[in-house]
Structure formats: C-alpha cells, structure tokens
Amino acid sequence: MRNIVPQVSTSDDRVSERQVLAALAKRLKRWDLEQLAAPGEESVDRPRSPVKVDFLGHAGRFVEAEGVQAVDASFTVTCPGRDVYGSVSTWFGDTGASLACGVNPRTKESWIQEAYRLTCGPR
C-alpha cells in the first residue's frame, strides 16, 4: 500500500494551490480540477470490509485492490517580473479489482499484478 499525500509547494506563496492544480488539470486535459486530490484531503485510504463476491458474482475469499493515478510534477510559472518555481503531488481517478490468490489475474495492468504479488506472493 502506498500513501499519497496531495501537496503543492512554491517559491512564492502568491501563486495559490488552486491555481497550480487548475493549470495541472488543464495540462492533463482529461481531468477537471475537482477530480484532482487537493492538499489537505485525505489520502486514498478508506475503511474496507471483506470482499465475499468478486465483480463477476463468484463467491469466495478475495482481495480487493484499488488504484489511482499519481502525479508528481515540477513547474515554472512566469509571473510579471519574476519566475515562480514549485512542485505538486496529487492523485486522480479510482479503479478497483477483486483478486483470488492462486488464480492468475490475466491482465497486463501493472498495478493489478503488483497488488496480486504484494497480497498473494509470487505466482
């Protein structure tokens, strides 16, 4: 499990966190500002309950994996009379998978393969 803490740091606090996230959302093109985790928001950790049925309705004992896309970026903003430097860490999106140990997840998505390895060990 990873703990992603959304944060923005700049060399000049006159450039707001919201401005930085809005520029990042525009740069990413697919995401709105509201879809990016803002500084001060909780990490992606949420309370869980045991998974008893997978996404296809099969009963059994499963591991539920959730993933988000993380962004770590550095930036330069040209403001009147000065350049402002900074960095941003955030996450967006939300996807999930139910995995059963001993059953090959049959996917090329690296996050699902990693979740399987971390939970069930090497195949």
Side-chain angles (χ1 to χ4, degrees):
M1 179 168 78
R2 291 186 175 81
N3 188 15
I4 303 166
V5 179
Q7 60 186 357
V8 174
S9 61
T10 65
S11 61
D12 187 332
D13 61 3
R14 290 179 285 183
V15 175
S16 73
E17 293 173 345
R18 185 166 176 79
Q19 287 175 293
V20 172
L21 290 174
L24 178 60
K26 185 176 179 182
R27 178 88 171 166
L28 293 173
K29 295 179 184 168
R30 297 179 25 197
W31 303 98
D32 295 334
L33 173 61
E34 288 73 31
Q35 293 173 300
L36 296 176
E41 283 188 19
E42 293 292 319
S43 67
V44 294
D45 294 336
R46 291 183 285 285
R48 306 277 188 256
S49 57
V51 179
K52 297 179 181 173
V53 177
D54 73 2
F55 289 128
L56 299 174
H58 301 118
R61 187 170 176 206
F62 299 95
V63 175
E64 183 178 6
E66 291 189 2
V68 295
Q69 294 185 41
V71 178
D72 288 309
S74 297
F75 60 87
T76 303
V77 179
T78 302
C79 297
R82 69 192 191 290
D83 286 340
V84 176
Y85 304 94
S87 64
V88 59
S89 294
T90 187
W91 56 269
F92 59 93
D94 193 359
T95 188
S98 289
L99 307 169
C101 292
V103 178
N104 185 340
R106 293 195 176 119
T107 181
K108 292 184 179 186
E109 292 195 53
S110 61
W111 75 271
I112 294 177
Q113 293 173 3
E114 180 182 15
Y116 183 92
R117 253 187 338 273
L118 290 172
T119 306
C120 303
R123 286 185 240 170

